[in-house]
Structures are given as C-alpha cells and as structure tokens.
Amino acid sequence: MAAAAAAAAAGPRPEAASPQWPPRHHDPAEAAAGLGDCEDAPVRPLCKPRGICSRAYFLVLMVFVHLYLGNVLALLLFVHYSNGDDSSAPGPQRRAQAPGPAPTLAPLTRLEGIKVGHERKIQLVADRDHFIRTLSLKPLLFEIPGFLSDEECRLVIHLAQMKGLQRSQILPTEEYEEAMDTVQISPLDLFQLLDQNHDGRLQLREVLAQNRLGNGRWMTPENIQEMYSAIKADPDGDGVLSLQEFSNMDLRDFHKYMRSHKAESSQLVRNSYHTWLYQGEGAHHVMRAIRQRVLRLTRLSPEIVELSEPLQVVRYGEGGHYHAHVDSGPVYPETICSHTKLVANESVPFETSCRYMTVLFYLNNVTGGGETVFPVADNRTYDEMSLIQDDVDLRDTRRHCDKGNLRVKPRQGTAVFWYNYLPDGQGWVGDVDDYSLHGGCLVTRGTKWIANNWINVDPSRARQALFQQEMARLAHEGGADSQPEWALDRAYRDTRVEL
C-alpha cells in the first residue's frame, strides 16, 4: 500500500464489404474562418469524477506522473528548434511574426466495430489486401494479421538493437521522496481519498486500487502487510487501518522502509527495455512505409499522424511484464498534453500523454506467455473497485492474466489497435475509455518484441489546431533543417540489413 497511499498523496471468414469509414470534411469556408466554435472549447474533464479518476486524487497523483513523463515528446520536438534559435548569433535575424488564426480541424475519424468477430477488407499496400477483425466493442479494439511482413519485423528489431535500448521505468525512485516532500495534505484528506467506500476503514483492496504508480514498485497484499508490520502501522494485524492508525503512520518510516528494500525487476510496474525510432521525413524507408500504412489505416489527417510520437520498440525478456494501465491520461484544467505543451502559452503545473489511438505491432512469435490482456473488455459495467476481489487483482499481469476477459496472443506481423478515448458527440475527443485498460502478460519463455505507434490528439480542439499550425510554420521557415530533434535517427535511414 504505502506506495499507493503515498501515490495518492502526491497530488478485428467470409469476405465482407469495404469498411465504412466516416466521411472526411474539408470545408474551405470553415478553414478560413479561424477557430470558429473551437475558440470556446475548453479542456473538459476526460474522466468521470469518481474513484481513482476523481479530480482531487488526480491532482495529487500527477505530482509523481510528471516526474516520469517529463518532456519525453515535447523535448524531442522542440530542443532542435530552441538550439537553432540563437538570437545572440551574428547576422540578420528573422522578424518575429505573430501566428495567424489556427484553422478549424475536421472531425476525427473512427472505425465502427459493428460486432465482435466482424471482419472487413481494406487495402493498405498495393499488392495485397488486409482484413480487420473486431475483437471488442469496449474498448473499440481491432486486429489485423500480417500488417507487417516478417522482414519488416526483423528490420525494426535490428534498428532498435543498433540504436540501443534502455530500461523502461515508471518512476525514478530517487525522485520519489523529493516529490513527497512537496506534498502538503492532511492525514484526514489523504485517508478520505483512499477510503473508496467511505466506511472509515482503509482496507487492502482500497489501497491496491490506487496502487497505480507508487514509487515504481507494484505492491501486492503481501507487500503491504509486510510493510504495515515493519513500520508498526497496523498494531492489531488485521490488514485494515482505522483513521487513527493511519494518522499515526509517519511517511518518513515509509521512505526508510522503501530504501532498505531494493525492488527486484519482477516487482516493478513495468519490466522491459525500450527505444524510440524516428519515422518522419528522411527516416529509413521501412519506417516511413509503416507510418504511411498507419495513416491509411486510421484515416486521420497527415498532420496529426506525422506529428505524433516516434515508434516505440519494446523488448520483454523472460520474466518481463507490464501491469494493466491505460495509455492516455485524463486532462483537467490543471494539466496539459505533453505534445502541445510548448505551444499552448498556458501555465499549468502538470502534463500527461494524450494518445487518441494505440497501434501495437507484434514483432516476433513468443514461445511462452506475453499476451496482451484487456481485463475488463466488453464488461457490462466498469467499476474501479471490482478489479480487485479477494486475493485476485485483475491488473496484476504476473499472477492473474488468465482471469482477464480478453487476451491477444503475440503473432509476428499482427497489429492490434484501439481507441483510448470515447467520442464527445462533436467529432472530437471525449472521456478516457476505462475499458481500454490493458497490460503485457508475463513472458514465461523466450523474448517478446513489440512496437507502439501512438497517435497524439489534444482534447482541446483549438489547442491541437494551434499546435499543427505552429509546426507547419516552423517546417516552412526552417526548410530541410527543421526536422525535430529525433531526426538525429537519420543515421539509420540508409541502413540495409541482411534479412
């Protein structure tokens, strides 16, 4: 728990007809009209105010999230620009120009699921057809066998190995205690945030339900009880804390306990290695081909897809896992999207990933385990507390993957994709889809390689438009040299690998 308590404290048979894609609207009159109705489209809460998604809980939790998220995307995109904009350098300087009104963006496209098992044909490459199969409606989840060829899979893995992978880490432990020192919240307020059923007693499952990040460790009931005992937080040993017992607990004892118990890789929220591969102009031709295939699949605007995150390549060794999580965070007035942060001209304390879609590629066949699990896919209802019943935590991908509603077996070249948000009824982003909760099951034999293409969209339509406009301006002014910082990966664009 204490990790949880502390985390809370911080702040897709027979061939079917072609797919029915929603029409894309291009209205010149609208494009010339400026922001239009987007001007007054504030950032809406993307999560219903309940449980772990309550605004109060979100605020304290995000103190930790921003430490990990940092500016992973934003820095990649802007360091190059800032380094090149040296106003002290001799020679003529460009006259600063205020950007014109941002264009109105067309509605976001969204594939219809129809029903589970529904299949349709789509042409993504010139020489063959692909078939999309609906896997679930909640979340809207699809599978495409053969999206990548075996040769493409091997090349992506090779490029990742050439670049080098680093350990995936949810939250740097050394920054955790420092963040905790900045938190000012009374024991009563913290207790009330954790006490989901408001019975005045803090049960283990209530603590586990909020064990999203902690200090990078995944806490189990056994871990929590061991810690209770070590710091003498639960004198009667019943695993339940009263308000008084909770108030008597000193967080400094928690820090001391955590420092004295080094976390093994199996105890982390995520146990894997990853790297990022550039896909923009000038990238390796296979990387460009994959991005263009994703563009045709999603039917989103080129601007949205091209300005999204690079390809993330991930390796899970034997024993690797990723406990259940969602890929996109809720956005409140106190938060902003990582990818649009530096053009928003807004001062907010926290940022989060805003990923409209996830496209996941399986790069190899896994000998044992390694499925992608969606624990609550197509459940009739969703309740945070129902994820943990008795000794079963459906989010725990090391112990309970077999109990999840839907598991996708890794098959080389297959892609799965889903939407992380619900529609808002106006062609844009609505609430985060709780059913998109997913994780990587324990790899029991061999190695698992995957790649992720995340499509970034800001829930603020106006802010996304401003971001796209500013990126277009920078590209125009900088010419070929205006590529983002991750264009340093051009070193791999001419690589030829013997496959």
Side-chain angles (χ1 to χ4, degrees):
M1 157 202 114
R13 302 172 185 144
E15 181 173 318
S18 297
Q20 300 301 309
W21 301 96
R24 299 175 63 183
H25 303 283
H26 299 282
D27 191 334
E30 286 186 358
L35 287 174
D37 59 358
C38 292
E39 292 177 331
D40 57 0
V43 180
R44 304 174 312 283
L46 296 187
C47 198
K48 302 173 183 62
R50 69 186 194 294
I52 193 171
C53 286
S54 67
R55 180 172 172 181
Y57 172 75
F58 179 78
L59 288 179
V60 293
L61 181 62
M62 285 304 290
V63 170
F64 301 108
V65 180
H66 86 285
L67 289 173
Y68 169 66
L69 292 176
N71 291 324
V72 171
L73 176 62
L75 283 178
L76 289 174
L77 191 57
F78 291 101
V79 164
H80 178 76
Y81 301 134
S82 59
N83 286 346
D85 186 20
D86 189 349
S87 58
S88 64
Q93 302 292 319
R94 287 195 187 93
R95 180 179 300 175
Q97 296 181 353
T104 300
L105 299 182
L108 298 171
T109 56
R110 190 178 182 92
L111 183 61
E112 295 295 331
I114 311 299
K115 65 179 181 179
V116 174
H118 178 75
E119 292 188 356
R120 72 202 75 191
K121 182 171 66 175
I122 184 173
Q123 190 169 40
L124 299 173
V125 294
D127 56 346
R128 61 166 297 187
D129 292 329
H130 286 86
F131 289 87
I132 303 176
R133 180 172 181 262
T134 303
L135 297 183
S136 75
L137 300 179
K138 298 191 301 183
L140 201 50
L141 169 66
F142 306 90
E143 179 182 53
I144 311 177
F147 188 94
L148 300 179
S149 69
D150 293 352
E151 292 78 10
E152 288 171 329
C153 291
R154 291 195 289 268
L155 186 137
V156 171
I157 293 174
H158 191 90
L159 291 178
Q161 292 173 323
M162 287 177 62
K163 184 175 182 183
L165 293 86
Q166 63 184 19
R167 178 175 287 279
S168 306
Q169 186 67 39
I170 293 299
L171 190 67
T173 303
E174 59 269 20
E175 295 178 343
Y176 177 73
E177 188 172 343
E178 180 181 345
M180 282 299 302
D181 290 338
T182 69
V183 177
Q184 295 183 356
I185 185 171
S186 71
L188 176 59
D189 289 339
L190 178 53
F191 186 88
Q192 291 174 340
L193 286 172
L194 294 168
D195 186 14
Q196 294 285 295
N197 60 8
H198 308 293
D199 66 349
R201 292 161 54 83
L202 198 55
Q203 301 166 350
L204 285 177
R205 73 183 190 128
E206 289 178 308
V207 174
L208 289 171
Q210 306 197 43
N211 184 15
R212 292 285 180 168
L213 293 170
N215 69 338
R217 305 184 189 205
W218 182 259
M219 301 301 289
T220 65
E222 295 83 2
N223 297 148
I224 294 173
Q225 289 179 310
E226 288 174 7
M227 186 191 62
Y228 280 174
S229 176
I231 65 176
K232 299 179 173 57
D234 182 22
D236 54 17
D238 62 354
V240 178
L241 297 185
S242 66
L243 176 58
Q244 185 61 51
E245 291 172 331
F246 185 83
S247 299
N248 292 337
M249 184 173 67
D250 191 332
L251 285 180
R252 287 175 297 184
D253 293 334
F254 161 71
H255 293 317
K256 183 177 179 180
Y257 175 85
M258 285 300 190
R259 285 195 302 266
S260 65
H261 290 73
K262 182 179 179 180
E264 301 293 334
S265 58
S266 61
Q267 296 174 312
L268 298 175
V269 173
R270 182 180 188 178
N271 180 20
S272 64
Y273 291 81
H274 74 275
T275 192
W276 303 86
L277 297 180
Y278 173 65
Q279 291 182 281
E281 295 294 338
H284 189 283
H285 68 97
V286 170
M287 303 303 296
R288 288 298 296 158
I290 294 173
R291 172 155 281 182
Q292 292 303 310
R293 216 170 297 164
V294 169
L295 178 61
R296 288 190 288 271
L297 171 67
T298 63
R299 292 294 183 98
L300 293 168
S301 73
E303 294 80 6
I304 286 178
V305 175
E306 292 287 2
L307 292 174
S308 291
E309 295 171 65
L311 185 74
Q312 186 194 57
V313 183
V314 187
R315 183 188 76 228
Y316 295 89
E318 192 166 307
H321 71 278
Y322 194 171
H323 290 306
H325 59 283
V326 291
D327 281 349
S328 203
V331 177
Y332 294 111
E334 296 84 2
T335 66
I336 199 169
C337 298
S338 299
H339 74 290
T340 57
K341 173 187 175 184
L342 297 183
V343 298
N345 195 28
E346 299 175 22
S347 179
V348 295
F350 308 120
E351 63 183 85
T352 188
S353 298
C354 297
R355 294 163 170 168
Y356 176 61
M357 293 181 66
T358 296
V359 187
L360 184 155
F361 313 101
Y362 296 111
L363 301 179
N364 73 323
N365 297 309
V366 182
T367 306
E371 300 91 344
T372 302
V373 62
F374 293 80
V376 294
D378 284 329
N379 260 13
R380 293 184 62 184
T381 59
Y382 176 88
D383 175 53
E384 186 77 25
M385 294 302 297
S386 68
L387 294 172
I388 306 169
Q389 297 290 341
D390 301 323
D391 293 330
V392 177
D393 185 346
L394 292 177
R395 302 165 306 153
D396 191 328
T397 60
R398 294 187 67 88
R399 295 182 172 185
H400 304 303
C401 258
D402 59 328
K403 298 178 177 63
N405 286 359
L406 175 64
R407 297 187 304 280
V408 183
K409 183 178 177 60
R411 293 182 174 86
Q412 187 179 44
T414 292
V416 291
F417 70 97
W418 64 90
Y419 297 87
N420 294 305
Y421 293 100
L422 300 169
D424 70 345
Q426 301 177 19
W428 206 248
V429 172
D431 292 341
V432 170
D433 190 346
D434 293 326
Y435 294 90
S436 68
L437 184 75
H438 66 284
C441 297
L442 177 69
V443 178
T444 57
R445 290 184 61 194
T447 301
K448 170 186 174 184
W449 285 89
I450 65 167
N452 294 296
N453 257 154
W454 285 300
I455 310 302
N456 302 117
V457 176
D458 196 308
S460 167
R461 203 168 187 167
R463 196 159 58 208
Q464 178 71 26
L466 179 61
F467 168 70
Q468 294 180 196
Q469 180 189 48
E470 183 65 7
M471 294 300 98
R473 183 188 69 80
L474 289 169
H476 176 73
E477 292 184 358
D481 293 331
S482 67
Q483 293 294 327
E485 181 66 13
W486 60 68
L488 293 174
D489 287 5
R490 290 173 184 166
Y492 306 116
R493 68 183 175 186
D494 296 321
T495 297
R496 293 297 180 266
V497 179
E498 295 298 327
L499 299 171

